[in-house]
Amino acid sequence: MRAFVHRYPAVRYATRQIRIRLPQRLGGLDPAHVPPWERRFELALPRREGWSGTGPPSLTITAPGDYGVARRLHHGGLAAYEPETLACFLAALEHARPGAVLDVGANIGLYSALAAARSSRRVFAFEPAPRVADTAEAVARANGLGVDVERLALSNHSGTAALRLSPVSDTASSLAADNRPQLGRVLVPVESLSHWRERAGAAPSIVKIDTGGTEPDVVAGALEVLRRFRPWIFCEVRPEHGVAERLMALLEPFGYCWYHLCGDPPYPLRAVIVGRGPDPGQRMWLFAPEPVPERVWRAARGWYRALGRPATQG
């Protein structure tokens, strides 16, 4: 029943309206804590001091009201969502060699939208969840951004797989086989990054990976890309399922350098990759093909300051 309600928006809306009107002792919802049916807001974009690029001052975001990324951006702006990673990502857009940006596990397409708004690079957003991909396409279209949304999951093989839909968050759906609760499954196309790159003719320079625990599978399917193009990789590292150990085994032969994006930049070079840190929300790492030069950290510090502090929730 829960999966049925989630799958059909009209049923979900009617169910929510009924629960708002019920007393809380009978399972009713507190109207003050019920998200809107749809969020539409302007997301201010940063401009660091000394940056000579061009681009829009803001993005118009329209998304379902219960989507977690959109909620955080609506309430706190970019500073409320992975500011360390966003700052380093923006610095990489300036300093990485020419080539495409790949946003793997794009959700509503925040990273791909930023790349298109703050660079002239070719941008691809990979999002297999159908409704979330619809939102990513709508965000790109509403802002006139050149983002190609690929309704595709990247892994270490090509074919199809069951995407497990999370009942908790739109950011938690994954191909990973585990014991986490699921709302249902949807069959999605799967392809390795190396195979997709050959088909698409892209030359990846920056890759962001956040796929709910299958990040090592994405990297395993991209080894030819790492060997040939040596992209900068921004990757979430979770503490479970040996994710960190698998990533180290895959990346070590290519001589990548590892940086945990936690706190103010610059970040020290790490000897090992770990999935646990002082803040559970700071799980993003930078895997760089060479030691990160000071000019990149200097740009990252400028973008970090430009992002500012999270706005007060309203």
Side-chain angles (χ1 to χ4, degrees):
M1 175 61 72
R2 194 173 183 181
F4 176 82
V5 170
H6 181 83
R7 187 173 296 116
Y8 297 99
V11 176
R12 190 168 71 254
Y13 177 77
T15 302
R16 183 170 63 172
Q17 293 304 306
I18 292 171
R19 291 188 66 191
I20 289 173
R21 288 164 174 76
L22 280 175
Q24 292 186 40
R25 61 184 175 81
L26 297 178
L29 301 173
D30 181 356
H33 294 91
V34 175
W37 177 245
E38 181 180 82
R39 293 183 192 276
R40 181 179 175 86
F41 60 97
E42 290 295 312
L43 178 66
L45 298 185
R47 294 181 65 91
R48 75 168 178 84
E49 186 178 351
W51 180 66
S52 59
T54 60
S58 65
L59 297 176
T60 300
I61 306 294
T62 303
D66 57 350
Y67 277 19
V69 174
R71 181 178 66 250
R72 288 172 65 180
L73 295 172
H74 189 192
H75 289 158
L78 287 172
Y81 188 80
E82 300 177 352
E84 299 93 345
T85 309
L86 291 174
C88 291
F89 180 79
L90 288 163
L93 291 174
E94 292 184 73
H95 293 284
R97 62 158 185 77
V101 178
L102 311 186
D103 184 1
V104 183
N107 196 264
I108 67 170
L110 173 62
Y111 280 87
S112 46
L114 273 178
R118 285 293 179 260
S119 78
S120 58
R121 296 173 182 268
R122 194 176 181 189
V123 182
F124 299 89
F126 296 83
E127 178 50 59
R131 291 185 62 244
V132 185
D134 289 344
T135 301
E137 284 188 340
V139 169
R141 185 170 55 250
N143 293 282
L145 301 175
V147 176
D148 292 312
V149 177
E150 300 278 345
R151 294 170 177 265
L152 175 69
L154 293 183
S155 188
N156 56 3
H157 66 283
S158 297
T160 58
L163 179 70
R164 292 164 172 81
L165 302 176
S166 170
V168 178
S169 170
D170 57 290
T171 63
S173 298
S174 175
L175 297 182
D178 54 30
N179 296 321
R180 285 179 292 185
Q182 57 180 295
L183 196 60
R185 301 183 184 186
V186 58
L187 200 65
V188 299
V190 178
E191 197 167 359
S192 73
L193 178 52
S194 294
H195 188 272
W196 172 87
R197 190 223 67 80
E198 186 176 358
R199 178 169 59 83
S205 177
I206 301 170
V207 182
K208 171 237 138 188
I209 309 173
D210 184 353
T211 56
T214 65
E215 291 82 5
D217 292 337
V218 177
V219 174
L223 298 184
E224 178 60 22
V225 170
L226 268 60
R227 183 194 67 80
R228 182 175 175 186
F229 297 99
R230 299 189 62 77
W232 293 50
I233 302 172
F234 294 87
C235 183
E236 183 179 58
V237 180
R238 292 172 176 260
E240 63 268 7
H241 305 306
V243 168
E245 292 79 6
R246 292 176 63 198
L247 286 169
M248 284 191 289
L250 290 164
L251 292 168
E252 275 182 332
F254 295 93
Y256 268 71
C257 302
W258 309 327
Y259 302 89
H260 186 197
L261 306 183
C262 179
D264 297 349
Y267 306 104
L269 183 65
R270 302 282 184 166
V272 295
I273 301 171
V274 295
R276 298 185 185 276
D279 184 345
Q282 293 175 316
R283 293 176 173 171
M284 295 296 287
W285 285 67
L286 167 61
F287 305 142
E290 59 189 8
V292 176
E294 173 56 29
R295 68 179 185 278
V296 176
W297 293 133
R298 190 161 54 247
R301 287 194 297 271
W303 285 115
Y304 194 65
R305 287 192 295 268
L307 287 169
R309 295 182 177 275
T312 303
Q313 181 169 329

mmCIF file of all heavy atoms in Angstrom, residues 84-130:
data_model
loop_
_atom_site.group_PDB
_atom_site.id
_atom_site.type_symbol
_atom_site.label_atom_id
_atom_site.label_comp_id
_atom_site.label_asym_id
_atom_site.label_seq_id
_atom_site.Cartn_x
_atom_site.Cartn_y
_atom_site.Cartn_z
ATOM 1 N N GLU A 84 31.900 22.329 1.450
ATOM 2 C CA GLU A 84 33.307 22.029 1.168
ATOM 3 C C GLU A 84 33.455 21.430 -0.230
ATOM 4 O O GLU A 84 34.352 21.804 -0.988
ATOM 5 C CB GLU A 84 33.861 21.048 2.213
ATOM 6 C CG GLU A 84 33.835 21.563 3.641
ATOM 7 C CD GLU A 84 32.578 21.173 4.393
ATOM 8 O OE1 GLU A 84 31.602 20.748 3.743
ATOM 9 O OE2 GLU A 84 32.572 21.301 5.628
ATOM 10 N N THR A 85 32.562 20.492 -0.546
ATOM 11 C CA THR A 85 32.641 19.849 -1.856
ATOM 12 C C THR A 85 32.283 20.820 -2.969
ATOM 13 O O THR A 85 32.935 20.841 -4.028
ATOM 14 C CB THR A 85 31.703 18.629 -1.902
ATOM 15 O OG1 THR A 85 31.959 17.800 -0.766
ATOM 16 C CG2 THR A 85 31.913 17.827 -3.171
ATOM 17 N N LEU A 86 31.253 21.629 -2.744
ATOM 18 C CA LEU A 86 30.862 22.606 -3.762
ATOM 19 C C LEU A 86 31.997 23.579 -4.043
ATOM 20 O O LEU A 86 32.262 23.928 -5.206
ATOM 21 C CB LEU A 86 29.615 23.375 -3.301
ATOM 22 C CG LEU A 86 28.310 22.579 -3.236
ATOM 23 C CD1 LEU A 86 27.205 23.441 -2.633
ATOM 24 C CD2 LEU A 86 27.896 22.089 -4.614
ATOM 25 N N ALA A 87 32.698 24.024 -2.999
ATOM 26 C CA ALA A 87 33.802 24.973 -3.190
ATOM 27 C C ALA A 87 34.919 24.343 -4.013
ATOM 28 O O ALA A 87 35.458 24.964 -4.942
ATOM 29 C CB ALA A 87 34.331 25.436 -1.835
ATOM 30 N N CYS A 88 35.281 23.101 -3.689
ATOM 31 C CA CYS A 88 36.350 22.430 -4.439
ATOM 32 C C CYS A 88 35.896 22.074 -5.852
ATOM 33 O O CYS A 88 36.700 22.110 -6.800
ATOM 34 C CB CYS A 88 36.802 21.182 -3.688
ATOM 35 S SG CYS A 88 37.663 21.541 -2.145
ATOM 36 N N PHE A 89 34.631 21.746 -6.007
ATOM 37 C CA PHE A 89 34.079 21.449 -7.326
ATOM 38 C C PHE A 89 34.157 22.691 -8.223
ATOM 39 O O PHE A 89 34.566 22.607 -9.393
ATOM 40 C CB PHE A 89 32.638 20.983 -7.156
ATOM 41 C CG PHE A 89 31.926 20.626 -8.431
ATOM 42 C CD1 PHE A 89 32.147 19.413 -9.050
ATOM 43 C CD2 PHE A 89 31.005 21.495 -8.986
ATOM 44 C CE1 PHE A 89 31.472 19.066 -10.220
ATOM 45 C CE2 PHE A 89 30.325 21.171 -10.153
ATOM 46 C CZ PHE A 89 30.561 19.948 -10.766
ATOM 47 N N LEU A 90 33.780 23.841 -7.682
ATOM 48 C CA LEU A 90 33.849 25.089 -8.447
ATOM 49 C C LEU A 90 35.292 25.439 -8.798
ATOM 50 O O LEU A 90 35.575 25.937 -9.898
ATOM 51 C CB LEU A 90 33.191 26.218 -7.654
ATOM 52 C CG LEU A 90 31.663 26.141 -7.566
ATOM 53 C CD1 LEU A 90 31.136 27.031 -6.434
ATOM 54 C CD2 LEU A 90 31.025 26.552 -8.888
ATOM 55 N N ALA A 91 36.227 25.161 -7.872
ATOM 56 C CA ALA A 91 37.644 25.398 -8.164
ATOM 57 C C ALA A 91 38.133 24.457 -9.263
ATOM 58 O O ALA A 91 38.913 24.861 -10.145
ATOM 59 C CB ALA A 91 38.479 25.210 -6.894
ATOM 60 N N ALA A 92 37.667 23.210 -9.231
ATOM 61 C CA ALA A 92 38.056 22.251 -10.266
ATOM 62 C C ALA A 92 37.535 22.676 -11.635
ATOM 63 O O ALA A 92 38.209 22.479 -12.651
ATOM 64 C CB ALA A 92 37.542 20.859 -9.905
ATOM 65 N N LEU A 93 36.332 23.263 -11.676
ATOM 66 C CA LEU A 93 35.800 23.750 -12.953
ATOM 67 C C LEU A 93 36.739 24.773 -13.589
ATOM 68 O O LEU A 93 36.863 24.855 -14.811
ATOM 69 C CB LEU A 93 34.418 24.378 -12.749
ATOM 70 C CG LEU A 93 33.264 23.447 -12.387
ATOM 71 C CD1 LEU A 93 32.010 24.254 -12.079
ATOM 72 C CD2 LEU A 93 32.987 22.456 -13.511
ATOM 73 N N GLU A 94 37.427 25.548 -12.736
ATOM 74 C CA GLU A 94 38.363 26.555 -13.236
ATOM 75 C C GLU A 94 39.696 25.953 -13.682
ATOM 76 O O GLU A 94 40.280 26.417 -14.667
ATOM 77 C CB GLU A 94 38.647 27.590 -12.148
ATOM 78 C CG GLU A 94 37.492 28.481 -11.762
ATOM 79 C CD GLU A 94 37.933 29.521 -10.757
ATOM 80 O OE1 GLU A 94 38.644 30.458 -11.177
ATOM 81 O OE2 GLU A 94 37.599 29.395 -9.564
ATOM 82 N N HIS A 95 40.179 24.934 -12.955
ATOM 83 C CA HIS A 95 41.572 24.525 -13.115
ATOM 84 C C HIS A 95 41.785 23.145 -13.718
ATOM 85 O O HIS A 95 42.908 22.844 -14.145
ATOM 86 C CB HIS A 95 42.280 24.597 -11.755
ATOM 87 C CG HIS A 95 42.416 25.987 -11.226
ATOM 88 N ND1 HIS A 95 43.344 26.881 -11.719
ATOM 89 C CD2 HIS A 95 41.731 26.658 -10.256
ATOM 90 C CE1 HIS A 95 43.234 28.031 -11.076
ATOM 91 N NE2 HIS A 95 42.263 27.925 -10.180
ATOM 92 N N ALA A 96 40.781 22.290 -13.732
ATOM 93 C CA ALA A 96 40.965 20.981 -14.359
ATOM 94 C C ALA A 96 41.123 21.163 -15.865
ATOM 95 O O ALA A 96 40.645 22.151 -16.446
ATOM 96 C CB ALA A 96 39.781 20.070 -14.047
ATOM 97 N N ARG A 97 41.794 20.224 -16.497
ATOM 98 C CA ARG A 97 42.014 20.339 -17.937
ATOM 99 C C ARG A 97 40.671 20.358 -18.668
ATOM 100 O O ARG A 97 39.647 19.921 -18.122
ATOM 101 C CB ARG A 97 42.869 19.174 -18.441
ATOM 102 C CG ARG A 97 42.214 17.827 -18.237
ATOM 103 C CD ARG A 97 42.770 16.776 -19.184
ATOM 104 N NE ARG A 97 42.038 15.533 -19.035
ATOM 105 C CZ ARG A 97 40.839 15.318 -19.548
ATOM 106 N NH1 ARG A 97 40.225 16.269 -20.228
ATOM 107 N NH2 ARG A 97 40.224 14.157 -19.375
ATOM 108 N N PRO A 98 40.608 20.845 -19.906
ATOM 109 C CA PRO A 98 39.348 20.873 -20.645
ATOM 110 C C PRO A 98 38.738 19.478 -20.755
ATOM 111 O O PRO A 98 39.448 18.481 -20.891
ATOM 112 C CB PRO A 98 39.762 21.410 -22.019
ATOM 113 C CG PRO A 98 41.004 22.196 -21.760
ATOM 114 C CD PRO A 98 41.719 21.464 -20.661
ATOM 115 N N GLY A 99 37.427 19.434 -20.689
ATOM 116 C CA GLY A 99 36.727 18.161 -20.793
ATOM 117 C C GLY A 99 35.357 18.241 -20.153
ATOM 118 O O GLY A 99 34.961 19.273 -19.599
ATOM 119 N N ALA A 100 34.634 17.137 -20.209
ATOM 120 C CA ALA A 100 33.250 17.094 -19.757
ATOM 121 C C ALA A 100 33.151 16.898 -18.243
ATOM 122 O O ALA A 100 34.053 16.348 -17.598
ATOM 123 C CB ALA A 100 32.502 15.958 -20.467
ATOM 124 N N VAL A 101 32.018 17.339 -17.701
ATOM 125 C CA VAL A 101 31.667 17.122 -16.301
ATOM 126 C C VAL A 101 30.574 16.056 -16.253
ATOM 127 O O VAL A 101 29.560 16.177 -16.937
ATOM 128 C CB VAL A 101 31.158 18.418 -15.637
ATOM 129 C CG1 VAL A 101 30.752 18.154 -14.189
ATOM 130 C CG2 VAL A 101 32.225 19.502 -15.703
ATOM 131 N N LEU A 102 30.798 15.022 -15.434
ATOM 132 C CA LEU A 102 29.817 13.954 -15.270
ATOM 133 C C LEU A 102 29.305 13.976 -13.837
ATOM 134 O O LEU A 102 30.085 13.857 -12.888
ATOM 135 C CB LEU A 102 30.433 12.583 -15.578
ATOM 136 C CG LEU A 102 31.235 12.438 -16.877
ATOM 137 C CD1 LEU A 102 31.643 10.980 -17.072
ATOM 138 C CD2 LEU A 102 30.437 12.937 -18.068
ATOM 139 N N ASP A 103 27.993 14.130 -13.678
ATOM 140 C CA ASP A 103 27.333 14.170 -12.367
ATOM 141 C C ASP A 103 26.616 12.830 -12.197
ATOM 142 O O ASP A 103 25.493 12.648 -12.663
ATOM 143 C CB ASP A 103 26.355 15.346 -12.335
ATOM 144 C CG ASP A 103 25.695 15.536 -10.986
ATOM 145 O OD1 ASP A 103 25.993 14.770 -10.049
ATOM 146 O OD2 ASP A 103 24.851 16.457 -10.865
ATOM 147 N N VAL A 104 27.273 11.874 -11.532
ATOM 148 C CA VAL A 104 26.774 10.500 -11.423
ATOM 149 C C VAL A 104 26.014 10.345 -10.106
ATOM 150 O O VAL A 104 26.595 10.482 -9.035
ATOM 151 C CB VAL A 104 27.931 9.486 -11.505
ATOM 152 C CG1 VAL A 104 27.389 8.057 -11.465
ATOM 153 C CG2 VAL A 104 28.769 9.729 -12.753
ATOM 154 N N GLY A 105 24.723 10.050 -10.214
ATOM 155 C CA GLY A 105 23.845 10.101 -9.049
ATOM 156 C C GLY A 105 23.434 11.545 -8.837
ATOM 157 O O GLY A 105 23.619 12.128 -7.769
ATOM 158 N N ALA A 106 22.860 12.133 -9.894
ATOM 159 C CA ALA A 106 22.669 13.588 -9.945
ATOM 160 C C ALA A 106 21.549 14.090 -9.048
ATOM 161 O O ALA A 106 21.533 15.262 -8.688
ATOM 162 C CB ALA A 106 22.395 14.016 -11.387
ATOM 163 N N ASN A 107 20.583 13.241 -8.707
ATOM 164 C CA ASN A 107 19.393 13.693 -8.009
ATOM 165 C C ASN A 107 18.739 14.809 -8.829
ATOM 166 O O ASN A 107 18.514 14.629 -10.017
ATOM 167 C CB ASN A 107 19.715 14.104 -6.574
ATOM 168 C CG ASN A 107 18.481 14.206 -5.689
ATOM 169 O OD1 ASN A 107 17.935 15.286 -5.504
ATOM 170 N ND2 ASN A 107 18.005 13.084 -5.177
ATOM 171 N N ILE A 108 18.460 15.976 -8.249
ATOM 172 C CA ILE A 108 17.801 17.043 -9.019
ATOM 173 C C ILE A 108 18.782 17.804 -9.905
ATOM 174 O O ILE A 108 18.403 18.753 -10.579
ATOM 175 C CB ILE A 108 17.056 18.027 -8.102
ATOM 176 C CG1 ILE A 108 18.036 18.818 -7.229
ATOM 177 C CG2 ILE A 108 16.020 17.291 -7.245
ATOM 178 C CD1 ILE A 108 17.385 19.978 -6.477
ATOM 179 N N GLY A 109 20.057 17.376 -9.898
ATOM 180 C CA GLY A 109 21.031 17.963 -10.817
ATOM 181 C C GLY A 109 21.723 19.212 -10.304
ATOM 182 O O GLY A 109 22.096 20.065 -11.105
ATOM 183 N N LEU A 110 21.964 19.309 -8.985
ATOM 184 C CA LEU A 110 22.603 20.504 -8.451
ATOM 185 C C LEU A 110 24.015 20.678 -9.011
ATOM 186 O O LEU A 110 24.372 21.748 -9.511
ATOM 187 C CB LEU A 110 22.651 20.446 -6.924
ATOM 188 C CG LEU A 110 23.456 21.562 -6.254
ATOM 189 C CD1 LEU A 110 22.847 22.925 -6.558
ATOM 190 C CD2 LEU A 110 23.564 21.335 -4.754
ATOM 191 N N TYR A 111 24.839 19.650 -8.927
ATOM 192 C CA TYR A 111 26.220 19.772 -9.391
ATOM 193 C C TYR A 111 26.281 20.015 -10.893
ATOM 194 O O TYR A 111 27.094 20.823 -11.372
ATOM 195 C CB TYR A 111 27.016 18.522 -9.015
ATOM 196 C CG TYR A 111 27.479 18.510 -7.579
ATOM 197 C CD1 TYR A 111 26.669 18.013 -6.570
ATOM 198 C CD2 TYR A 111 28.724 19.008 -7.222
ATOM 199 C CE1 TYR A 111 27.082 18.002 -5.248
ATOM 200 C CE2 TYR A 111 29.162 19.000 -5.904
ATOM 201 C CZ TYR A 111 28.331 18.501 -4.917
ATOM 202 O OH TYR A 111 28.741 18.504 -3.606
ATOM 203 N N SER A 112 25.446 19.320 -11.648
ATOM 204 C CA SER A 112 25.464 19.524 -13.099
ATOM 205 C C SER A 112 24.959 20.922 -13.453
ATOM 206 O O SER A 112 25.489 21.566 -14.371
ATOM 207 C CB SER A 112 24.639 18.448 -13.804
ATOM 208 O OG SER A 112 23.400 18.240 -13.193
ATOM 209 N N ALA A 113 23.957 21.425 -12.725
ATOM 210 C CA ALA A 113 23.474 22.784 -12.984
ATOM 211 C C ALA A 113 24.553 23.816 -12.668
ATOM 212 O O ALA A 113 24.741 24.784 -13.408
ATOM 213 C CB ALA A 113 22.216 23.058 -12.165
ATOM 214 N N LEU A 114 25.281 23.611 -11.552
ATOM 215 C CA LEU A 114 26.376 24.525 -11.216
ATOM 216 C C LEU A 114 27.460 24.505 -12.288
ATOM 217 O O LEU A 114 27.991 25.550 -12.672
ATOM 218 C CB LEU A 114 26.984 24.131 -9.868
ATOM 219 C CG LEU A 114 26.348 24.697 -8.605
ATOM 220 C CD1 LEU A 114 27.073 24.154 -7.380
ATOM 221 C CD2 LEU A 114 26.372 26.211 -8.606
ATOM 222 N N ALA A 115 27.791 23.301 -12.769
ATOM 223 C CA ALA A 115 28.823 23.196 -13.793
ATOM 224 C C ALA A 115 28.416 23.924 -15.067
ATOM 225 O O ALA A 115 29.234 24.608 -15.701
ATOM 226 C CB ALA A 115 29.110 21.726 -14.084
ATOM 227 N N ALA A 116 27.141 23.783 -15.447
ATOM 228 C CA ALA A 116 26.670 24.450 -16.659
ATOM 229 C C ALA A 116 26.565 25.960 -16.467
ATOM 230 O O ALA A 116 26.773 26.727 -17.411
ATOM 231 C CB ALA A 116 25.317 23.873 -17.070
ATOM 232 N N ALA A 117 26.243 26.403 -15.244
ATOM 233 C CA ALA A 117 26.077 27.833 -14.983
ATOM 234 C C ALA A 117 27.405 28.549 -14.753
ATOM 235 O O ALA A 117 27.489 29.767 -14.939
ATOM 236 C CB ALA A 117 25.174 28.033 -13.760
ATOM 237 N N ARG A 118 28.438 27.806 -14.335
ATOM 238 C CA ARG A 118 29.704 28.440 -13.991
ATOM 239 C C ARG A 118 30.868 27.984 -14.871
ATOM 240 O O ARG A 118 32.029 28.210 -14.533
ATOM 241 C CB ARG A 118 30.028 28.173 -12.509
ATOM 242 C CG ARG A 118 29.174 29.019 -11.535
ATOM 243 C CD ARG A 118 29.535 30.480 -11.661
ATOM 244 N NE ARG A 118 28.765 31.355 -10.784
ATOM 245 C CZ ARG A 118 27.717 32.062 -11.179
ATOM 246 N NH1 ARG A 118 27.284 31.953 -12.437
ATOM 247 N NH2 ARG A 118 27.091 32.861 -10.347
ATOM 248 N N SER A 119 30.564 27.338 -16.003
ATOM 249 C CA SER A 119 31.621 26.962 -16.932
ATOM 250 C C SER A 119 31.008 26.767 -18.317
ATOM 251 O O SER A 119 29.790 26.751 -18.476
ATOM 252 C CB SER A 119 32.326 25.671 -16.481
ATOM 253 O OG SER A 119 31.548 24.528 -16.801
ATOM 254 N N SER A 120 31.868 26.597 -19.301
ATOM 255 C CA SER A 120 31.400 26.316 -20.653
ATOM 256 C C SER A 120 31.620 24.850 -21.014
ATOM 257 O O SER A 120 31.608 24.476 -22.189
ATOM 258 C CB SER A 120 32.144 27.213 -21.655
ATOM 259 O OG SER A 120 33.547 27.013 -21.560
ATOM 260 N N ARG A 121 31.826 24.012 -20.032
ATOM 261 C CA ARG A 121 32.084 22.599 -20.260
ATOM 262 C C ARG A 121 30.812 21.864 -20.668
ATOM 263 O O ARG A 121 29.691 22.277 -20.325
ATOM 264 C CB ARG A 121 32.648 21.949 -18.991
ATOM 265 C CG ARG A 121 34.004 22.482 -18.549
ATOM 266 C CD ARG A 121 34.404 21.900 -17.205
ATOM 267 N NE ARG A 121 35.671 22.432 -16.723
ATOM 268 C CZ ARG A 121 36.849 21.873 -16.963
ATOM 269 N NH1 ARG A 121 36.920 20.768 -17.687
ATOM 270 N NH2 ARG A 121 37.957 22.414 -16.489
ATOM 271 N N ARG A 122 30.988 20.755 -21.378
ATOM 272 C CA ARG A 122 29.871 19.869 -21.658
ATOM 273 C C ARG A 122 29.512 19.144 -20.364
ATOM 274 O O ARG A 122 30.395 18.672 -19.632
ATOM 275 C CB ARG A 122 30.270 18.867 -22.746
ATOM 276 C CG ARG A 122 29.106 18.115 -23.362
ATOM 277 C CD ARG A 122 29.582 17.222 -24.501
ATOM 278 N NE ARG A 122 28.472 16.516 -25.107
ATOM 279 C CZ ARG A 122 28.609 15.545 -26.009
ATOM 280 N NH1 ARG A 122 29.845 15.181 -26.393
ATOM 281 N NH2 ARG A 122 27.568 14.941 -26.523
ATOM 282 N N VAL A 123 28.219 19.029 -20.061
ATOM 283 C CA VAL A 123 27.784 18.505 -18.761
ATOM 284 C C VAL A 123 26.763 17.390 -18.964
ATOM 285 O O VAL A 123 25.803 17.541 -19.731
ATOM 286 C CB VAL A 123 27.166 19.623 -17.885
ATOM 287 C CG1 VAL A 123 26.760 19.071 -16.521
ATOM 288 C CG2 VAL A 123 28.148 20.784 -17.722
ATOM 289 N N PHE A 124 26.965 16.291 -18.225
ATOM 290 C CA PHE A 124 26.050 15.157 -18.255
ATOM 291 C C PHE A 124 25.612 14.836 -16.823
ATOM 292 O O PHE A 124 26.447 14.756 -15.917
ATOM 293 C CB PHE A 124 26.712 13.921 -18.865
ATOM 294 C CG PHE A 124 27.159 14.100 -20.292
ATOM 295 C CD1 PHE A 124 28.429 14.593 -20.581
ATOM 296 C CD2 PHE A 124 26.309 13.778 -21.341
ATOM 297 C CE1 PHE A 124 28.844 14.756 -21.898
ATOM 298 C CE2 PHE A 124 26.722 13.946 -22.661
ATOM 299 C CZ PHE A 124 27.985 14.435 -22.936
ATOM 300 N N ALA A 125 24.308 14.635 -16.632
ATOM 301 C CA ALA A 125 23.755 14.258 -15.332
ATOM 302 C C ALA A 125 23.150 12.867 -15.444
ATOM 303 O O ALA A 125 22.262 12.637 -16.272
ATOM 304 C CB ALA A 125 22.693 15.266 -14.885
ATOM 305 N N PHE A 126 23.623 11.932 -14.628
ATOM 306 C CA PHE A 126 23.140 10.552 -14.644
ATOM 307 C C PHE A 126 22.198 10.340 -13.468
ATOM 308 O O PHE A 126 22.615 10.423 -12.304
ATOM 309 C CB PHE A 126 24.313 9.574 -14.544
ATOM 310 C CG PHE A 126 25.247 9.639 -15.723
ATOM 311 C CD1 PHE A 126 26.244 10.609 -15.785
ATOM 312 C CD2 PHE A 126 25.132 8.740 -16.765
ATOM 313 C CE1 PHE A 126 27.113 10.675 -16.865
ATOM 314 C CE2 PHE A 126 25.996 8.795 -17.857
ATOM 315 C CZ PHE A 126 26.984 9.770 -17.909
ATOM 316 N N GLU A 127 20.917 10.084 -13.754
ATOM 317 C CA GLU A 127 19.926 9.871 -12.698
ATOM 318 C C GLU A 127 18.926 8.813 -13.170
ATOM 319 O O GLU A 127 18.118 9.078 -14.057
ATOM 320 C CB GLU A 127 19.209 11.174 -12.353
ATOM 321 C CG GLU A 127 18.135 11.023 -11.289
ATOM 322 C CD GLU A 127 18.624 10.285 -10.064
ATOM 323 O OE1 GLU A 127 19.599 10.743 -9.431
ATOM 324 O OE2 GLU A 127 18.037 9.222 -9.745
ATOM 325 N N PRO A 128 18.970 7.601 -12.572
ATOM 326 C CA PRO A 128 18.083 6.528 -13.036
ATOM 327 C C PRO A 128 16.663 6.582 -12.489
ATOM 328 O O PRO A 128 15.759 6.004 -13.096
ATOM 329 C CB PRO A 128 18.799 5.268 -12.541
ATOM 330 C CG PRO A 128 19.539 5.714 -11.321
ATOM 331 C CD PRO A 128 19.963 7.134 -11.592
ATOM 332 N N ALA A 129 16.435 7.228 -11.343
ATOM 333 C CA ALA A 129 15.084 7.279 -10.761
ATOM 334 C C ALA A 129 14.200 8.160 -11.642
ATOM 335 O O ALA A 129 14.488 9.353 -11.812
ATOM 336 C CB ALA A 129 15.133 7.819 -9.338
ATOM 337 N N PRO A 130 13.122 7.632 -12.218
ATOM 338 C CA PRO A 130 12.361 8.373 -13.239
ATOM 339 C C PRO A 130 11.850 9.740 -12.781
ATOM 340 O O PRO A 130 12.034 10.741 -13.481
ATOM 341 C CB PRO A 130 11.212 7.420 -13.577
ATOM 342 C CG PRO A 130 11.744 6.059 -13.257
ATOM 343 C CD PRO A 130 12.623 6.249 -12.058
#
